[in-house]
Amino acid sequence: MDAFRRGWETQIGNDVFRLPSFSPDTMQDFRAEGRVAKVGDAAIADLRVASATRTTEVSGDEQDLITLYVVRRGAWTLDGPRGGDALVIPAGRFLMRRVDRLSGFETTAHIRTKFFALPAAELKPLLTNHIITGPVNSGEVRLLTAFSDLIHTTMADLGVPGVKAARDTLVELAKAVAKGRFDDVEPRLAPALVQAAKEIADRRLADPELSTATLARALNVSTRTLQRAFATVDESVTAYIRSRRLEKARHELTLPSGRPSMSELAAHWQFADGSHFTRAFKKEFGQTPTEYARSHQADPLLTNRRRADNESRG
């Protein structure tokens, strides 16, 4: 627990969001991993906690911020506002609220959640009833969480202007969550939209229904909006899907046993037929699938290296 608190205070500090004190009985077996980042006057955390946690009684300590919890597994229970009923956020739900004081919470074991502490000034006009809740698979929440993943992977390389841009985009995406709709003419949100679309596509690569239209529906935007977002990174949705499918097929060609046939690979990864798959594969990698598999078998060291590369990419 002490190591977790030190890491939090080193990365986040106490000026954005201060951790409450934890109950001694939960500190003894505290097991957690995650990543946290301070983004200007905002903070984000991606947490996986194996042990149940509970804070001690909290009093005083005024704050003025918006907190957002996106719970993927387990349940998070927050102290109610000003002595009101506790707020339970089960798996598959999010909760956004305005807080004016440090408050306590409890979590179940094996919880997996994303947490956001956001500046109140720009968001509190949208939280007239102080609490907004809904499903984590809404398009707006998907955009926000995908962008937080992008921040975690790029934070070390962001200069002062980059941190400000990331902070402003976080606030705009939080506004979209609060309003339940995405501003499809806001150019700063394009990277988040691309990242969210890629994450959904990567989970559905074998789905014959995967397309620009299905991704746009999942993110609650128009197909044109999604296409414009991909154009900002000089990519197209269909090209990304095809490239990732070919990567998956290439990985299967490295399997030591049970390797599928060309026709099976083509069918599984949604190519029209074996010939179409072979042409696309050669255009992408400079070899036919058969040539690739043969050269791969001939060089075990290269096999291991390519397998590790494929696994790291998805």
Side-chain angles (χ1 to χ4, degrees):
M1 183 70 237
D2 289 342
F4 178 81
R5 182 177 290 278
R6 284 195 301 271
W8 181 277
E9 292 177 350
T10 298
Q11 296 294 320
I12 302 296
N14 290 323
D15 57 327
V16 175
F17 182 84
R18 187 169 74 82
L19 288 174
S21 298
F22 285 79
S23 175
D25 62 330
T26 65
M27 293 173 61
Q28 295 174 2
D29 189 37
F30 187 81
R31 289 165 290 141
E33 62 178 1
R35 49 190 181 176
V36 298
K38 183 178 180 182
V39 192
D41 56 356
I44 58 176
D46 193 351
L47 303 172
R48 292 172 175 81
V49 184
S51 53
T53 60
R54 182 171 63 256
T55 59
T56 58
E57 184 177 349
V58 177
S59 62
D61 207 350
E62 292 186 357
Q63 295 184 317
D64 188 20
L65 71 159
I66 305 298
T67 56
L68 172 62
Y69 304 80
V70 180
V71 180
R72 300 288 185 183
R73 180 185 299 171
W76 195 299
T77 301
L78 301 168
D79 284 353
R82 298 297 177 182
D85 293 338
L87 304 171
V88 180
I89 317 165
R93 303 287 293 180
F94 77 86
L95 185 143
M96 175 188 282
R97 71 170 179 171
R98 180 186 174 191
V99 296
D100 56 10
R101 63 184 177 85
L102 189 65
S103 59
F105 61 83
E106 293 184 24
T107 74
T108 61
H110 305 292
I111 193 168
R112 180 182 166 206
T113 186
K114 289 181 181 290
F115 169 75
F116 301 81
L118 303 159
E122 297 165 75
L123 290 164
K124 61 185 177 185
L126 302 175
L127 277 77
T128 54
N129 65 351
H130 291 271
I131 295 173
I132 295 173
T133 186
V136 299
N137 62 355
S138 71
E140 296 76 29
V141 174
R142 280 173 162 165
L143 287 172
L144 179 61
T145 57
F147 187 68
S148 73
D149 291 337
L150 191 61
I151 289 176
H152 283 305
T153 59
T154 60
M155 192 69 192
D157 300 320
L158 294 179
V160 174
V163 171
K164 183 181 185 306
R167 177 268 184 202
D168 292 345
T169 301
L170 269 179
V171 172
E172 289 300 321
L173 287 167
K175 288 180 182 178
V177 172
K179 293 185 292 187
R181 67 180 185 275
F182 172 69
D183 183 357
D184 62 2
V185 298
E186 172 53 67
R188 288 179 297 185
L189 305 189
L193 186 53
V194 170
Q195 180 72 10
K198 287 181 175 181
E199 289 183 3
I200 297 172
D202 285 347
R203 294 193 296 268
R204 297 180 57 182
L205 289 173
D207 184 352
E209 300 300 321
L210 179 61
S211 66
T212 304
T214 58
L215 290 174
R217 283 196 297 272
L219 294 168
N220 197 26
V221 298
S222 69
T223 56
R224 179 61 183 144
T225 295
L226 186 57
Q227 289 166 338
R228 284 202 307 266
F230 269 78
T232 64
V233 292
D234 297 322
E235 234 178 336
S236 74
V237 184
T238 53
Y240 177 79
I241 293 171
R242 183 177 62 250
S243 178
R244 292 294 291 130
R245 282 172 167 169
L246 288 168
E247 284 283 357
K248 292 292 187 180
R250 182 171 73 157
H251 174 67
E252 291 192 49
L253 287 170
T254 70
L255 296 175
S257 62
R259 183 180 300 150
S261 67
M262 296 305 130
S263 60
E264 288 172 332
L265 280 174
H268 183 73
W269 296 114
Q270 306 306 315
F271 291 89
D273 51 44
S275 297
H276 182 214
F277 168 65
T278 297
R279 288 195 298 272
F281 191 97
K282 185 171 183 179
K283 183 177 180 180
E284 185 82 2
F285 302 117
Q287 292 178 297
T288 68
T290 301
E291 290 168 343
Y292 177 82
R294 188 178 297 125
S295 64
H296 190 83
Q297 287 177 326
D299 189 345
L301 181 60
L302 187 59
T303 296
N304 293 333
R305 187 179 302 126
R306 284 171 173 161
R307 181 181 295 116
D309 179 61
N310 278 329
E311 290 173 350
S312 68
R313 294 182 61 182

